[in-house]
DNA sequence: GTGAAAGCGCTAACAT
DNA sequence: ATGTTAGCGCTTTCAC
């Protein structure tokens, strides 16, 4: 603290390398290296001496040199679709925080689900001998991705269930989430429900949609399901909602957005048409993002527990990169339903604690 | 395309290094290196030959080795306060995108304005021989930061004007923004205006506050200014707003939040007190984030032009790291005021094009 | 348990 | 205009 150097480093203080430490501790660089890496084959007294030298000199090993020689660095690559879409920054925050706690650095990259951007991104990461890739985008065909990566780094898919065998992933049970949400809406008396979906290639969108349709079939005999696919953007949600809500006489009384942003687009559309939410049309989304939880919006949403997902992703990535990734690690998180004003018929079915993370998944969940 | 390798790399294909290329092109590694770095001292025919070898072999230089020997890498470090606060992901998106276009990798890190986290973060980045640091957090005392970094990498402060001389930065003119906003509110007939500020150590918060107070003094003689400082979180905004709005008889008719999140907290508070926005109390914020621009919220906000800021930040970072950063580069962006429903007295003072980025800064701006 | 030596893949003098 | 050589700071056999 308070080095008070005048900008230029203070004359003599050359950079502290492993060699410096070796000399100070009167051992070879190999031994210092062992100590730093916690290799067992070091006598306790030696270890002590080296540790002290490290401490005194303020030695910090160069991740660069380390990565160059060992072939992989303590760096995580996080690939997202769009940092500006509310789900991703929340995920990024958790991942970065968790990674930081483990001393890992996080490289970030936003593809716009453009395979080319995505490819560049992955290549740049591999060139850095990245330790593991956390892939939370949905675009690039995963075959290509995995082929490109080969065995250069383990890949963890997040929020997306890859089609291929032996891939590792951390996802939320989207079908279950959709089912619970649908169940909730049916219980509210809705008989005509619209689903505003995502692009065909997005597996999580497909799962949510399928979950909705299955639930309608199983639980809402005689009810009508309307599906309209768009992409993940707000404007798409709005446009699709407008079109669904314009069916005179037969318009849906409830709308589900494939994610919160789309649902918010739908809310905007309702507003623009002079429809009250939830009186005229109930609306719900997926992801339980900050946006949804604001009382100004009060959007009912399926919570994938982003923090849990993020932490699991980092843990998985670390395990894979350590254990030589013998076999895939898969994790499925149970979603919960957070009911808010946008779908609360009586205006007060919101669970007592209106706080953000309150889970309201009831016991009556289907089997 | 379509390498179709069976996972394991296809037997013989060893890694392609600069030496491989040198052999193939029948030149020395130095020449290949020159070609790769666009060094002028290479005969055109030679260059051609090398380029072709590079192409054919699919050679990609190792950023690791490069950084190790040259002392700095093509990597940008982005330090933010909180990825989950709407301003930052929008900035991160632009920075990452712009960096990607230049072939730069982005390392990200969220401090919670905790100097310790921030310090670790900076050290990790320096250990990676980062090319430049874009610092968009506000917490760590910049003296410490700059001392720690020394001349190891150039630093660009973004969205924060450092107190020290010869620091580079890209900021928005917060005082001007605050003045324009205040002017707008006064023009709407407000005579008692509250300002919900940020923490004392945040320079941008201080500037916004000062701009507000100055404008009130200059333009609103006899008007009352109420200031209540909090932090940058939504809950802080809500709490502060509640307290300001509870002054019976003398409550403000307009509230400014130090950023959009705080302003939204204030909107929630108004809602909770049964006050209409903007009829009973007008509300406005800073940053013009996505959140603000949704019609569901329609928050009047001062736009710092995040995209412009982000691009300028990357440009500045690159310039500094190339030109040996002789002298600081400073850039001040002119904000514009985006008027939305939350402060539109008649309910229709919203500029015709209700789109997100429509700037509504009028000519009558103060000198 | 410890050390010596050979690189990892490149750049940067210095020769030529 | 091109080649040679010495590292960057570390890990990793392989001896001892």
């Amino acid at each position: 603290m308070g080095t008070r150097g005048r900008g230029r480093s203070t004359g003599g203080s050359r950079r502290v390398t492993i060699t410096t430490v070796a000399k100070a501790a009167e051992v070879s660089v190999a031994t210092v290296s062992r100590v730093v890496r916690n290799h067992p084959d070091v006598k306790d007294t030696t270890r002590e001496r080296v540790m002290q030298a490290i401490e005194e000199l303020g030695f910090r090993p160069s991740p660069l040199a380390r990565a160059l020689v060992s072939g992989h660095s303590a760096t995580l690559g996080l690939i997202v679709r769009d940092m500006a879409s509310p789900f991703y920054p929340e995920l990024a925050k958790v991942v970065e925080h968790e990674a930081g706690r483990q001393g890992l650095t996080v490289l970030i990259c936003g593809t716009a689900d453009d395979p080319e951007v995505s490819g560049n991104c992955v290549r740049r990461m591999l060139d850095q001998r990245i330790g593991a890739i956390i892939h939370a985008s949905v675009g690039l065909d995963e075959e290509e991705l995995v082929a490109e990566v080969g065995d250069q780094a383990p890949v963890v898919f997040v929020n997306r269930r890859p089609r291929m065998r032996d891939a590792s992933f951390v996802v939320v049970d989207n079908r279950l989430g959709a089912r619970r949400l649908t169940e909730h809406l049916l219980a509210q008396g809705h008989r005509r429900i619209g689903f505003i979906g995502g692009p065909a290639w997005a597996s999580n969108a497909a799962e949510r949609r399928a979950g909705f349709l299955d639930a309608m079939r199983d639980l809402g005999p005689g009810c009508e399901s309307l599906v309209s696919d768009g992409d993940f953007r707000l404007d798409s949600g709005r446009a699709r909602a407008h079109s669904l809500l314009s069916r005179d006489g037969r318009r849906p009384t409830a709308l589900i957005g494939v994610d919160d942003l789309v649902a918010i687009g739908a809310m905007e559309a309702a507003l623009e048409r002079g429809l009250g939410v939830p009186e005229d049309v109930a609306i719900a989304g997926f992801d339980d993002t900050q946006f949804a939880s604001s009382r100004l919006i009060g959007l009912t949403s399926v919570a994938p527990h982003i923090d849990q997902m993020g932490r699991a992703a980092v843990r998985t990535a670390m395990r894979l990169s350590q254990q030589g990734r013998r076999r895939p690690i898969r994790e499925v998180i149970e979603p919960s339903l957070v009911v808010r004003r946008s779908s609360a018929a009586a205006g007060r079915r919101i669970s007592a604690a209106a706080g953000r993370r309150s889970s309201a998944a009831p016991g009556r969940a289907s089997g």
Side-chain angles (χ1 to χ4, degrees), chain A:
Chain A
M1 311 150 175
T3 330
R4 217 193 140 287
R6 287 233 276 355
R8 310 284 183 211
S9 63
T10 334
S13 85
R14 273 192 70 257
R15 179 162 279 143
V16 178
T17 77
I18 204 175
T19 315
T20 328
V21 177
K23 279 182 186 135
E26 299 180 287
V27 292
S28 72
V29 291
T31 301
V32 177
S33 177
R34 289 192 186 96
V35 170
V36 169
R37 288 173 301 141
N38 274 315
H39 189 104
D41 284 2
V42 182
K43 212 182 358 183
D44 278 8
T45 66
T46 316
R47 183 183 299 276
E48 196 101 349
R49 199 148 34 94
V50 173
M51 296 274 261
Q52 192 170 329
I54 288 177
E55 192 71 23
E56 280 172 3
L57 295 168
F59 167 72
R60 274 151 33 205
S62 156
L64 251 35
R66 215 186 260 226
L68 182 59
V69 58
S70 76
H72 53 263
S73 69
T75 301
L76 241 48
L78 177 61
I79 304 182
V80 302
R81 178 164 57 76
D82 176 9
M83 278 303 289
S85 184
F87 173 84
Y88 294 105
E90 299 192 28
L91 180 69
K93 177 183 183 174
V94 182
V95 166
E96 195 277 321
H97 182 253
E98 191 65 14
R101 291 181 4 129
Q102 321 274 357
L104 299 173
T105 303
V106 177
L107 245 120
I108 205 161
C109 173
T111 77
D113 276 338
D114 176 339
E116 194 180 317
V117 178
S118 184
N120 287 333
C121 179
V122 168
R123 270 185 291 279
R124 271 211 301 278
M125 288 181 171
L126 291 177
D127 288 348
Q128 302 269 358
R129 297 282 181 274
I130 201 118
I133 293 181
I134 296 183
H135 190 90
S137 183
V138 280
L140 178 63
D141 180 66
E142 61 241 341
E143 318 275 337
E144 286 225 16
L145 186 273
V146 170
E148 177 90 45
V149 174
D151 53 359
Q152 299 181 63
V155 178
V156 184
F157 292 95
V158 171
N159 198 33
R160 145 189 209 179
R161 203 187 296 251
R163 284 178 295 279
M164 44 198 317
R165 276 270 60 96
D166 56 67
S168 296
F169 57 76
V170 178
V171 296
V172 67
D173 188 336
N174 281 309
R175 300 182 87 107
L176 176 56
R179 168 173 284 263
R180 286 192 173 157
L181 175 53
T182 308
E183 189 175 30
H184 158 71
L185 293 173
L186 288 170
Q188 301 281 314
H190 296 285
R191 293 290 166 260
R192 190 154 45 234
I193 306 182
F195 184 92
I196 305 176
W201 39 260
S203 66
N204 55 352
E207 288 168 16
R208 289 166 188 185
R209 180 183 144 141
F212 162 70
L213 290 173
D214 287 359
M216 286 297 275
R217 174 170 39 63
D218 298 353
L219 310 171
C223 293
E224 196 176 346
S225 321
L226 306 168
V227 172
S228 175
D229 284 341
D231 56 35
F232 289 115
R233 282 171 311 187
L234 188 143
D235 284 338
S236 149
R238 180 160 60 209
R240 264 59 219 72
H242 267 301
S243 116
L244 286 171
L245 294 174
S246 67
R247 304 164 43 105
D248 26 35
R250 308 200 67 74
R251 71 168 154 76
T253 63
L255 245 34
I256 299 177
V258 70
D259 69 10
D260 285 351
L261 211 53
V262 167
I264 284 169
M267 288 181 91
E268 294 186 1
L271 185 77
E272 287 159 9
R273 306 184 79 81
L275 296 173
V277 176
E279 311 87 70
D280 299 314
V281 55
I283 295 186
F286 280 80
D287 289 350
D288 187 34
T289 55
Q290 273 187 90
F291 227 143
S293 71
S294 165
R295 293 152 132 87
L296 295 180
I297 291 184
L299 178 68
T300 290
S301 193
V302 175
H305 303 294
I306 302 181
D307 44 358
Q308 200 178 328
M309 264 180 73
R311 279 196 299 270
V314 175
R315 261 204 322 271
T316 304
M318 291 197 69
R319 253 188 254 159
L320 288 174
S321 69
Q322 279 162 10
Q323 63 158 321
R325 67 200 102 100
R326 320 184 285 253
R327 45 195 203 69
I329 299 178
R330 295 120 190 278
E331 196 155 334
V332 179
I333 291 170
E334 183 178 339
S336 29
L337 179 64
V338 183
V339 177
R340 298 204 181 83
R341 213 190 52 241
S342 74
S343 76
R348 73 170 79 77
R349 285 188 55 106
I350 302 178
S351 59
R356 171 101 195 281
R357 287 303 179 201
S358 67
S359 128
R364 60 186 149 94
S366 74

